[in-house]
Amino acid sequence: MFNWLLRNVLVKIVAYPVRRRLAAFEEATRHPQKVQDELLRRILAHQAGTAFGKDHHFTTIHTISDLRKIVPVRGYDYIEPYMQRVLKGEVSALLADKKIHMFALTSGTTASRKYIPVTDQYLADYKRGWNIWGLKVYRDHPEVRMRPIVQMSGDWQEFLTETGIPCGAVTGLTAQMQMPIVRWIYCVPAIVGKVKDPAAKYYLALRLSVPRHVGMIIAANPSTLVNLARAGDQEKEALIRDIHDGTLSDRFDIPAEVRAAVKRRISRPHPDRARVLEEIVRRTGTLFPKDYWPSECLIGNWMGGSVAAYLRHFPKYYGATPVRDVGLIASEGRMTIPIADGTPSGVLDVTSHVFEFIPEEEGDSPNPTVLSAHELQEGGTYY
């Protein structure tokens, strides 16, 4: 009955507004200059009263050309002094928004970690992008619709600022904010992000998801899914035993609060499922996702750049499972929404952010040519 409700009631409740957003997004991509100009005006008007807005004369900016004369293309260090004031509680130094839910932290690959304020508008843009991505996936792969999802998220409360605002991974906050009935579709609850030991986190994610008829497996970095698959094989005996008994091995460093939170999800024994898994190991000698999850699953992760090297391992662990890039997405926001399998390419998310581009050959220029989305040339390469 629960599965019937998910497929026949929840799908209709959720899909209708998302379908409208997808149609609106598709229409917006046909008029990028108009959409970007209107978005710029809206942002400038909203933020004009901030210290940054006043210092940069937002009330005098009416076009993208005006913006480029007054607000140059710069790195995070340009706004960091304002962000430090925000971190100390002076939100109006940079933001007109009344509430900051948390600060998303970048990975720190190029310098010290950056603080990205997560506001209501940030969350609205973030969710809209994922909803459009997901609805397109469901249209292309109806067989995975409303089936359980394995999605790895981080801890959104790694630490607090001096004013008490959480800092961490935005994926943890969005997982925490899901509606209860939607939350149950996700095999791995947000609190699992608090497990710091990688081996323990992978094991717990598998313990929660292997018994279920999974439809999608999502993790931005494909290395995460390679490690997840390897962990399941390495710990297959303990995993099968726990699934059979309805337990969670005490060999792993999993905080007591996390164990208590997931207890209801794992306390039911699954001897039939355990026997299926034992047969897989007897037959193949291994326990890989391609054998215990349905062949019509879909994987969502990055496919471009250096991480693409991990994709060569997928056939061994996941078989012929199709892969859909999740998009060029970071703590700062979503840049693209992929709409096809097997490619890192995606459609620019012109509805959420104002984008500027620099031709690749001018990347090191102190005064590069700066272009808007509608000025790009097909086949060109840009920063």
Side-chain angles (χ1 to χ4, degrees), residues 128-370:
R128 181 176 61 253
W130 272 113
N131 286 341
I132 293 171
W133 182 88
L135 183 60
K136 191 65 174 65
V137 166
Y138 286 154
R139 282 187 172 182
D140 296 342
H141 299 273
E143 66 277 6
V144 308
R145 189 178 298 160
M146 301 313 293
R147 294 222 327 252
I149 298 171
V150 180
Q151 183 166 17
M152 306 295 285
S153 58
D155 184 6
W156 69 284
Q157 296 175 313
E158 290 183 29
F159 59 90
L160 302 178
T161 66
E162 60 184 75
T163 58
I165 298 177
C167 302
V170 70
T171 53
L173 175 63
T174 54
Q176 184 69 33
M177 295 177 72
Q178 291 165 339
M179 295 184 297
I181 193 168
V182 173
R183 199 178 301 160
W184 187 251
I185 298 174
Y186 288 80
C187 300
V188 186
I191 197 168
V192 175
K194 292 188 175 296
V195 180
K196 303 305 180 185
D197 178 65
K201 188 172 184 178
Y202 288 134
Y203 185 85
L204 180 54
L206 289 164
R207 175 64 187 87
L208 289 159
S209 58
V210 169
R212 303 183 68 180
H213 194 69
V214 168
M216 272 201 288
I217 313 155
I218 302 173
N221 197 320
S223 67
T224 300
L225 297 187
V226 171
N227 290 331
L228 182 72
R230 289 172 176 169
D233 183 54
Q234 291 167 0
E235 298 292 345
K236 51 183 172 289
E237 292 182 7
L239 187 60
I240 293 173
R241 184 167 56 250
D242 276 341
I243 290 172
H244 181 280
D245 298 340
T247 54
L248 178 59
S249 175
D250 58 8
R251 289 194 300 107
F252 296 95
D253 184 14
I254 300 172
E257 64 170 322
V258 178
R259 288 180 177 271
V262 303
K263 184 176 181 180
R264 179 170 169 268
R265 288 178 178 247
I266 63 173
S267 59
R268 177 186 170 192
H270 290 275
D272 292 343
R273 181 61 166 160
R275 281 191 287 272
V276 170
L277 298 173
E278 288 174 341
E279 174 58 24
I280 290 172
V281 175
R282 187 198 65 75
R283 176 169 48 85
T284 67
T286 58
L287 191 64
F288 294 152
K290 66 181 180 181
D291 297 311
Y292 56 74
W293 281 331
S295 58
E296 65 270 20
C297 273
L298 180 131
I299 292 174
N301 59 215
W302 289 325
M303 300 189 70
S306 59
V307 298
Y310 289 97
L311 298 177
R312 72 182 189 275
H313 299 292
F314 275 21
K316 175 181 178 180
Y317 299 115
Y318 294 94
T321 302
V323 181
R324 174 74 60 95
D325 196 297
V326 294
L328 182 54
I329 187 171
S331 302
E332 291 85 350
R334 172 180 286 278
M335 275 59 83
T336 65
I337 301 178
I339 57 173
D341 298 341
T343 173
S345 299
V347 179
L348 190 68
D349 186 4
V350 294
T351 62
S352 295
H353 311 287
V354 175
F355 292 101
E356 293 182 297
F357 299 84
I358 296 172
E360 183 179 30
E361 63 273 14
E362 297 185 44
D364 296 325
S365 171
N367 295 295
T369 302
V370 181

Side-chain angles (χ1 to χ4, degrees), residues 21-75:
R21 290 174 190 158
L22 178 56
F25 175 71
E26 290 175 345
E27 178 63 21
T29 62
R30 298 186 179 97
H31 311 282
Q33 182 176 7
K34 176 184 176 183
V35 171
Q36 289 277 279
D37 287 348
E38 289 178 353
L39 181 56
L40 175 61
R41 285 192 289 270
R42 190 161 65 246
I43 292 172
L44 291 171
H46 183 58
Q47 306 292 349
T50 65
F52 187 91
K54 292 176 181 177
D55 290 347
H56 292 81
H57 313 290
F58 276 12
T59 57
T60 69
I61 300 175
H62 304 291
T63 66
I64 190 71
S65 297
D66 294 339
L67 177 74
R68 289 171 186 160
K69 293 174 184 176
I70 299 175
V71 186
V73 174
R74 291 291 185 270

